[in-house]
Amino acid sequence: MIKYHLHHLRELEAEAIYIIRETAAQFERPAMLFSGGKDSIVMTHLARKAFYPARIPFPLLHVDTGHNFRETLVFRDKMVEEIGARLEVRYVQDSIDKGRAREEKGPNASRNVLQTVTLLDALEELKVDAAMGGARRDEEKARAKERFFSHRDEFGQWNPKNQRPELWMLLNGKKHMGEHFRVFPLSNWTEMDVWMYIQLEKIAIPEIYFSHEREIILRDGVLLANSEYIMKKDSDLIETRTVRFRTIGDMTCTGAVESPASTLSEIIDEIAVSRVTERGTRHDDKRSETAMEDRKKVGYF
Amino acid sequence: MSDFSSEGYMNMELLRFTTAGSVDDGKSTLIGRLLYDSKQIFEDQLEAIEQRSQQRGFEHVDLSLLTDGLKAEREQGITIDVAYRYFATPKRKFIIADTPGHIQYTRNMVTGASTANAALILVDVRKGILEQTIRHSFIASLLQIPHLIICVNKMDLVDYSEEAFSKVVEEYRNLSTKLDIKDVNFLPISALKGDNVVEKSTNMPWYHGSTLMYLLENLHIGSDENHIDCRFPVQYVIRPQQTEYHDFRGYAGRIVSGIYKPGDKVKILPSGETAKVKTIELFGEQITEAYAPMSVTMTLDRDVDISRGDMIVRENNVPSMEQEFDVMICWMNANNLQVGGKYAIRHTVKDARCVIKDIRYKVDINSMHRNEQDKEIAMNDIARITVKTTVPLYFDSYRKNRHTGSIILIDEATNETVAAGMIV
């Protein structure tokens, strides 16, 4: 390695910390979205590094679909206690009960889309003016054009045709009353970078990322964890397999992969030779070719 | 097993490059080719573009489809905005800022160029150097991109002729004498067929240079950062509200240039006070030498009044501190620049306001000619202007330091970023 040259994980780390600090400095009430998935765990870790020895100066916000993996919630509560962070949880179930959101019906029903309603309501209630998310540009084509600081109008909507140019590292967070920003500190990270960084920094992650035996529903080539939240179809095959999760979201739309990988290095080796993208296991993206772009425009992350 | 052993991956460098080209010169195909041949395309992505290629009635898989993003773009078959792409080889991780060649080309290319180590410019060998090649090269030189790679594309359509390639190279050399570019490389390629992209071409035995991938992996980027002039803009002051850290006062920020060590005598701008660096740390870990682009937290040996936007520099190497200076700007907004107009200005992490005192000249980016009469500065125009700020800024010329020499202007009514500026 050349002297005075950062290797790429440290450069990505420095960039993300810069963005998180900018967010804390430029906005009055920032919040960090926390889903319990690896990207939000890495982002939380970076926030700790950014302000250490002080505590993270903004709350973590979890939009709970009610269909989470139990392991994710256990992990979340333990982590929050350890790092002394403030956690706000808002429930999709409450939005449904209040008639703000309507539950989807049928075997493919998911609360993934409904999250947006709860999220936007929570941002308004908590008066959040900058919501940081762990989304990465490599995940999906609609995300490839996101800025670090992404402006949203008063309806929380994204207008991909009229984004502010982002030059050098000069981030413009100026806004009118009622508008807010989405901020993406991990924009330039890839799935591989996230895993390598977890290994480098020895960051704890929920155990369901590692290989385990589980009862799954085999549907349209996707392996869904069997749970009471999924209405079964006649064509579904229910079997026990050795699986792990590459991404963690709502149980109704997060697919598992068959894998014996039980350590971080085994996961990294597996991803390096993988021929399918990580969102290839996401049922929510398979709804249509523009599923992500359509959701983002109305305020999804 | 994979090429990405844990250890190897930890030693990878990051290279950011921008791509520019006009509509039909094969830019999307080239990026598709880089991603495809470096095995960054996954089966689900490939299936999707195979399907779309078939729907459009193409015989082969159109690799350029890999890079279109939004529905609006696919409907029109064009690219709207800067899109970021990622790929990695065991040596380096690459970030491509892919900028469209047609509408709002200057604004987008300037955006992509602002963070790039290298610019990749495509030239169609049959057409030679066009106006837009000049435009792109001028922007690369204006933004001081350290490395330029000229890909002479579509060599397959001229029977891989050495003469055709040499003609383009010579034409470009004549043009680039007027530009301020440090490192220019020329490559004969065919993005469509894959010649000299990742694999060495067997069709051009006369060419003894490297492939594009080899060049990207081996460009010397070690000296792209300025390690001489110490500049540390304070981004955030850390004062823990916990009893065990009652007296802790840390200055958080990103080192934009220079090398800092504990014990260094430093000067704080604008106050001019001096102190010594006590510690440089991150997450409790002590750093013995901190350099760009690290994000760190610095503590000093004595209490000094420091707030966000201040800059910690070395006593014997200070930036200019002025309220009036000249800037080369690229205008990026539909509303024209107003002489006498007031704008918000952002420099490192410091916010101020400024007034536009004068438009010195506008640059015709096709001929590089200076026009002192034309004062209409509209979207995509490049001009030299004089600004006066409400408070002094501490800056270097952009040529000397990309981080302390750059600014943006913000319209105070719309909050939009309206200009990118390089301090002269």
Side-chain angles (χ1 to χ4, degrees):
Chain A
M1 202 73 219
I2 312 152
K3 206 177 178 201
Y4 305 126
H5 200 85
L6 281 187
H7 72 66
H8 89 285
L9 287 175
R10 291 294 177 213
E11 189 169 339
L12 291 173
E13 174 189 64
E15 178 182 273
I17 288 174
Y18 173 84
I19 293 162
I20 293 168
R21 285 169 169 170
E22 257 332 83
T23 310
Q26 288 197 37
F27 296 93
E28 278 171 40
R29 295 173 75 101
M32 187 168 266
L33 275 289
F34 185 83
S35 68
K38 65 183 189 314
D39 300 316
S40 66
I41 293 168
V42 163
M43 186 168 61
T44 307
H45 179 78
L46 291 161
R48 285 183 77 194
K49 290 191 104 166
F51 303 104
Y52 186 89
R55 295 212 173 102
I56 299 175
F58 39 75
L60 304 180
L61 171 61
H62 183 207
V63 174
D64 186 335
T65 60
H67 293 170
N68 289 293
F69 289 94
R70 186 188 51 82
E71 294 88 340
T72 312
L73 298 183
V74 171
F75 178 89
R76 176 194 75 188
D77 294 338
K78 187 164 163 257
M79 185 202 81
V80 164
E81 193 177 318
E82 268 172 27
I83 68 175
R86 204 173 102 216
L87 174 72
E88 300 280 355
V89 184
R90 293 297 177 273
Y91 300 91
V92 171
Q93 187 63 50
D94 290 345
S95 304
I96 294 168
D97 293 346
K98 283 186 215 146
R100 302 269 304 143
R102 188 176 299 176
E103 188 99 80
E104 294 181 358
K105 295 202 167 60
N108 288 323
S110 167
R111 288 181 169 181
N112 186 284
V113 178
L114 308 189
Q115 286 182 81
T116 304
V117 174
T118 314
L119 172 66
L120 292 176
D121 285 352
L123 296 180
E124 199 171 316
E125 175 209 329
L126 300 168
K127 298 192 174 59
V128 169
D129 55 359
M132 284 171 270
R136 310 187 318 263
R137 288 179 186 143
D138 80 319
E139 278 180 273
E140 216 283 332
K141 51 191 178 261
R143 282 183 171 163
K145 307 209 161 178
E146 265 293 6
R147 302 296 196 257
F148 292 124
F149 272 26
S150 179
H151 177 257
R152 299 303 154 105
D153 65 18
E154 55 192 317
F155 302 103
Q157 298 188 99
W158 181 59
N159 179 2
K161 281 194 180 172
N162 187 25
Q163 297 192 74
R164 294 178 184 177
E166 213 155 68
L167 297 132
W168 297 286
M169 283 303 277
L170 301 172
L171 302 174
N172 173 5
K174 290 184 192 289
K175 58 177 175 13
H176 294 293
M177 284 285 284
E179 297 175 340
H180 76 275
F181 272 75
R182 300 289 171 90
V183 177
F184 303 103
L186 304 185
S187 289
N188 281 330
W189 297 51
T190 59
E191 180 189 17
M192 186 60 137
D193 297 328
V194 170
W195 283 110
M196 294 302 300
Y197 187 73
I198 289 170
Q199 190 180 46
L200 178 69
E201 292 279 295
K202 302 184 177 62
I203 302 169
I205 50 170
E207 62 216 41
I208 57 174
Y209 277 115
F210 300 100
S211 183
H212 58 283
E213 291 219 330
R214 178 181 290 269
E215 199 175 78
I216 56 100
I217 305 171
L218 187 59
R219 179 187 292 177
D220 304 334
V222 176
L223 279 62
L224 296 165
N226 191 12
S227 74
E228 59 196 285
Y229 310 127
I230 299 177
M231 189 198 278
K232 312 296 181 296
K233 286 202 258 191
D234 290 345
S235 56
D236 288 344
L237 281 176
I238 298 177
E239 288 172 18
T240 299
R241 302 250 182 118
T242 304
V243 298
R244 61 177 201 86
F245 293 90
R246 262 176 98 179
T247 67
I248 295 182
D250 194 280
M251 283 189 92
T252 59
C253 64
T254 308
V257 287
E258 292 201 78
S259 162
S262 56
T263 64
L264 281 174
S265 356
E266 283 169 12
I267 290 176
I268 287 160
D269 288 335
E270 194 177 280
I271 293 164
V273 295
S274 169
R275 299 304 303 138
V276 181
T277 63
E278 84 185 322
R279 294 202 77 92
T281 62
R282 290 293 285 255
H283 218 233
D284 45 334
D285 290 345
K286 295 208 164 178
R287 290 184 165 195
S288 82
E289 207 194 338
T290 56
M292 175 67 87
E293 183 180 346
D294 296 341
R295 279 179 295 161
K296 270 179 73 68
K297 280 185 184 159
V298 296
Y300 183 79
F301 248 85
Chain B
M1 282 317 265
S2 71
D3 294 335
F4 295 95
S5 64
S6 308
E7 203 180 311
Y9 200 84
M10 295 296 176
N11 279 320
M12 281 164 58
E13 294 173 319
L14 184 60
L15 179 96
R16 298 171 200 253
F17 68 96
T18 173
T19 51
S22 39
V23 191
D24 298 316
D25 53 15
K27 180 169 61 76
S28 298
T29 309
L30 178 64
I31 294 173
R33 173 64 63 187
L34 279 172
L35 300 177
Y36 184 76
D37 283 2
S38 61
K39 307 194 172 50
Q40 302 291 315
I41 305 301
F42 295 99
E43 277 167 13
D44 46 335
Q45 291 173 316
L46 196 61
E47 268 170 36
I49 65 159
E50 272 169 3
Q51 235 177 29
R52 292 212 329 262
S53 301
Q54 273 176 6
Q55 281 164 8
R56 294 189 185 186
F58 298 148
E59 282 170 19
H60 58 275
V61 176
D62 184 356
L63 291 176
S64 72
L65 293 175
L66 280 168
T67 58
D68 347 313
L70 307 169
K71 182 158 63 179
E73 296 173 327
R74 285 196 300 279
E75 283 161 0
Q76 298 163 42
I78 55 153
T79 317
I80 289 172
D81 202 334
V82 186
Y84 295 89
R85 316 278 167 205
Y86 302 84
F87 69 100
T89 69
K91 269 191 107 147
R92 277 184 179 165
K93 169 184 165 123
F94 299 95
I95 301 179
I96 313 176
D98 179 17
T99 61
H102 42 93
I103 46 156
Q104 298 186 357
Y105 42 82
T106 308
R107 162 182 155 148
N108 288 322
M109 194 180 160
V110 166
T111 304
S114 70
T115 50
N117 301 96
L120 216 139
I121 294 178
L122 271 100
V123 179
D124 183 333
V125 66
R126 297 167 307 167
K127 296 181 187 157
I129 307 300
L130 302 176
E131 253 183 17
Q132 51 222 4
T133 319
I134 302 175
R135 201 154 64 205
H136 294 147
S137 303
F138 173 67
I139 291 168
S141 107
L142 187 70
L143 273 285
Q144 294 279 300
I145 298 181
H147 312 277
L148 215 56
I149 302 171
I150 313 294
C151 291
V152 181
N153 192 23
K154 305 199 180 178
M155 288 299 293
D156 54 312
L157 299 180
V158 294
D159 292 329
Y160 300 101
S161 149
E162 180 175 11
E163 205 190 331
F165 172 70
S166 304
K167 196 168 151 251
V168 175
V169 172
E170 197 185 327
E171 225 183 312
Y172 190 88
R173 285 233 164 92
N174 291 335
L175 141 90
S176 63
T177 51
K178 287 188 243 165
L179 298 170
D180 180 19
I181 299 166
K182 291 165 200 148
D183 175 31
V184 190
N185 303 271
F186 298 92
L187 299 173
I189 65 162
S190 164
L192 190 68
K193 301 282 168 68
D195 295 272
N196 290 333
V197 179
V198 174
E199 303 295 335
K200 185 122 182 96
S201 172
T202 51
N203 296 312
M204 291 176 267
W206 48 266
Y207 175 71
H208 303 291
S210 51
T211 62
L212 175 60
M213 185 65 97
Y214 182 89
L215 190 62
L216 289 171
E217 283 188 317
N218 293 284
L219 275 179
H220 176 67
I221 55 174
S223 43
D224 290 0
E225 297 282 356
N226 174 337
H227 290 311
I228 314 252
D229 308 302
C230 289
R231 306 284 184 258
F232 181 61
V234 176
Q235 202 185 350
Y236 193 93
V237 180
I238 296 176
R239 300 200 63 180
Q241 305 298 313
Q242 294 125 267
T243 43
E244 70 261 46
Y245 297 108
H246 188 71
D247 295 324
F248 186 93
R249 193 186 271 219
Y251 305 104
R254 202 167 184 193
I255 292 166
V256 298
S257 57
I259 298 162
Y260 289 84
K261 301 185 196 74
D264 280 351
K265 283 176 99 174
V266 292
K267 186 172 189 166
I268 291 96
L269 302 177
S271 71
E273 293 220 50
T274 56
K276 270 188 188 165
V277 176
K278 189 169 147 202
T279 62
I280 304 169
E281 53 191 80
L282 187 66
F283 208 36
E285 197 179 310
Q286 300 300 315
I287 298 163
T288 50
E289 282 185 302
Y291 49 90
M294 285 184 183
S295 281
V296 297
T297 301
M298 198 181 277
T299 61
L300 301 178
D301 68 336
R302 65 188 199 89
D303 271 351
V304 192
D305 185 22
I306 300 178
S307 45
R308 172 173 162 86
D310 290 359
M311 196 184 280
I312 299 178
V313 301
R314 294 293 293 269
E315 252 187 309
N316 53 2
N317 177 342
V318 296
S320 308
M321 258 178 91
E322 311 277 346
Q323 271 179 269
E324 198 169 314
F325 48 89
D326 275 17
V327 191
M328 290 297 294
I329 55 157
C330 171
W331 194 255
M332 304 189 147
N333 201 265
N335 299 321
N336 290 4
L337 171 72
Q338 303 295 322
V339 179
K342 294 185 177 69
Y343 296 89
I345 184 170
R346 174 161 248 265
H347 172 252
T348 68
V349 294
K350 193 176 178 68
D351 283 312
R353 298 180 70 215
C354 72
V355 59
I356 310 302
K357 301 278 284 185
D358 188 23
I359 296 171
R360 305 281 295 272
Y361 55 80
K362 180 166 150 180
V363 181
D364 179 335
I365 55 170
N366 295 321
S367 65
M368 289 177 260
H369 182 75
R370 293 175 183 180
N371 187 335
E372 289 174 15
Q373 268 66 53
D374 187 356
K375 307 271 175 176
E376 282 282 306
I377 308 299
M379 173 88 89
N380 295 315
D381 282 344
I382 309 267
R384 178 168 172 158
I385 63 170
T386 306
V387 299
K388 183 171 186 183
T389 53
T390 45
V391 290
L393 299 184
Y394 354 108
F395 59 84
D396 298 287
S397 70
Y398 185 79
R399 280 199 52 120
K400 192 170 154 195
N401 196 321
R402 279 173 101 177
H403 306 283
T404 54
S406 48
I407 56 117
I408 53 171
L409 297 181
I410 298 163
D411 184 312
E412 292 185 304
T414 63
N415 292 324
E416 288 173 337
T417 302
V418 293
M422 288 135 286
I423 301 173
V424 179

